[in-house]
């Protein structure tokens, strides 16, 4: 069932806080504006595109060259990677839900002034052709002075399935050379840049070249120390055993048509995941929630 702008606004708009508009033909976006924050959330991919708490610069990064077209992922914000993270032979990288249309299920303004938007997608003929399992996937986004994204996987069939997944969060930073990620000291990571070699993190993560790492067995919060931007961004997580840290650096950036030259200097991804060996197995009837809360203390 397609939700048109009219039906979305009739059923789910919140006067003065939430309305729906097309970012491009056929691509509806929830536009949220409250005294606490502004945000935009695309129904395609269930993708949070922007979040800006009051008094702050934007926290999420979106490329100036991002493409807004049906069936194409947007370079920035928070793509949902599911039911697999990364590349699988012959399959779309990072799964299929990031380019599919999700449904709005509910909207609410809570007593604290936060907007809660619930989006969902479940299996149909198109998803069965790509991944033959019965599922329901729901993303609850809470937009306030913090941003929480809770992604709940429900196995609606009888057979067990296994997934990997990510809230693939792109952050703005003032200058990547003066940016560090704290909270991963002493953990192991798979280094994609070195053909998935297993490495040990010592101290904070800093950036001096292409960085593409799956930190495994990591459940602690991370913090992005953005020295040039003069702020710290905290990422707290639940139901997540891995953290991916990614910056393409210029060579890889050049290969991506939806990234403008030099933009790598003002962005990084710190992704809340279950990825690499940290797979989630969900029995028939079972559920799992992967959640990230982002704050700028
Ligand atoms: C990261 C991966 O999560 O996503 C990288 O670790 C990948 O390897 C990046 O390049 C972007 O992926 P995509 O499919 O959105 O270009």
């Amino acid at each position: 069932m397609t939700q048109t702008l009219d039906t979305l606004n009739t059923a789910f708009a919140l006067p003065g806080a939430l309305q729906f508009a097309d970012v491009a033909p056929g691509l509806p976006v929830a536009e949220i504006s409250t005294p606490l924050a502004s945000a935009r959330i695309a129904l395609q991919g269930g993708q949070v595109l922007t979040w800006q708490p009051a008094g702050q610069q934007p926290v999420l990064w979106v490329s100036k060259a991002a493409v807004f077209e049906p069936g194409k992922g947007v370079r920035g914000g928070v793509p949902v990677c599911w039911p697999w993270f990364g590349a699988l032979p012959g399959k779309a990288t990072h799964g299929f839900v990031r380019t599919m249309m999700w449904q709005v299920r509910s909207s609410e303004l809570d007593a604290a002034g936060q907007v809660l938007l619930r989006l969902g997608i479940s299996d149909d003929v198109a998803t069965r052709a790509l991944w033959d399992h019965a599922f329901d996937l729901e993303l609850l986004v809470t937009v306030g002075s913090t941003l929480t994204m809770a992604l709940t996987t429900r196995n609606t069939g009888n057979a067990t399935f296994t997934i990997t997944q990510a809230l693939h969060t792109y952050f703005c930073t003032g200058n990547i050379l003066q940016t560090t990620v704290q909270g991963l000291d002493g953990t192991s990571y798979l280094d994609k840049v070195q053909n998935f070699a297993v490495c040990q993190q010592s101290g904070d993560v800093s950036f001096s070249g292409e960085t593409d790492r799956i930190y495994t067995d990591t459940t602690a919060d991370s913090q992005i120390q953005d020295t040039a931007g003069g702020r710290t961004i905290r990422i707290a997580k639940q139901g997540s055993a891995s953290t991916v840290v990614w910056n393409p650096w210029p060579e890889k950036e050049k290969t991506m048509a939806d990234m403008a030259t030099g933009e790598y200097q003002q962005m990084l991804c710190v992704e809340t995941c279950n990825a690499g060996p940290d797979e989630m197995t969900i029995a028939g009837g079972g559920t799992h929630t992967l959640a990230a809360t982002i704050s700028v203390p």
Side-chain angles (χ1 to χ4, degrees), residues 264-278:
Y264 79 93
Q265 296 168 90
Q266 266 82 47
M267 58 72 69
L268 78 159
C269 289
V270 177
E271 308 170 30
T272 299
C273 312
N274 292 299
D278 295 324

Side-chain angles (χ1 to χ4, degrees), residues 75 85 93-94 98 168 170 192 212 244 246 252 271:
R75 179 74 59 202
F85 173 87
T93 305
H94 292 332
R98 67 170 170 165
H168 187 311
Y170 288 80
K192 289 203 202 177
D212 194 351
V244 167
W246 180 60
K252 181 103 189 263
E271 308 170 30

Side-chain angles (χ1 to χ4, degrees), residues 61 75 170 173-181 193 205-213 245-257 259-269:
W61 177 88
R75 179 74 59 202
Y170 288 80
T173 194
N175 180 344
I176 191 67
L177 296 173
Q178 297 172 44
T179 302
T180 56
V181 180
V193 175
V205 183
S206 56
F207 299 85
S208 57
E210 183 185 349
T211 304
D212 194 351
R213 302 173 178 176
V245 178
W246 180 60
N247 183 289
W249 231 245
E251 285 309 307
K252 181 103 189 263
E253 181 190 80
K254 272 185 220 149
T255 67
M256 293 184 285
M259 230 175 130
T261 306
E263 282 190 313
Y264 79 93
Q265 296 168 90
Q266 266 82 47
M267 58 72 69
L268 78 159
C269 289

Side-chain angles (χ1 to χ4, degrees), residues 38-143:
S38 61
R40 295 164 81 228
I41 303 164
L43 272 54
Q44 177 168 277
Q47 185 168 355
V48 178
L49 296 173
T50 60
W51 172 61
Q52 184 169 9
Q56 283 289 336
Q57 294 297 311
V59 176
L60 303 180
W61 177 88
V62 180
S63 172
K64 292 183 178 68
V67 175
F68 293 88
E69 278 177 21
K72 292 237 163 110
V74 174
R75 179 74 59 202
V78 191
V80 175
C81 306
W82 191 98
W84 59 85
F85 173 87
L88 284 186
K91 305 218 174 192
T93 305
H94 292 332
F96 51 82
V97 297
R98 67 170 170 165
T99 54
M100 287 185 163
M101 200 56 84
W102 296 43
Q103 303 273 309
V104 177
R105 293 183 174 171
S106 68
S107 64
E108 180 195 336
L109 186 63
D110 73 7
Q114 305 181 112
V115 170
L116 280 68
L117 185 69
R118 194 182 298 272
L119 305 177
I121 184 168
S122 49
D123 63 296
D124 62 12
V125 174
T127 70
R128 286 291 186 137
L130 299 165
W131 192 67
D132 193 12
H133 296 283
F135 71 87
D136 184 77
L137 188 61
E138 195 162 88
L139 181 70
L140 175 61
V141 186
T142 304
V143 176

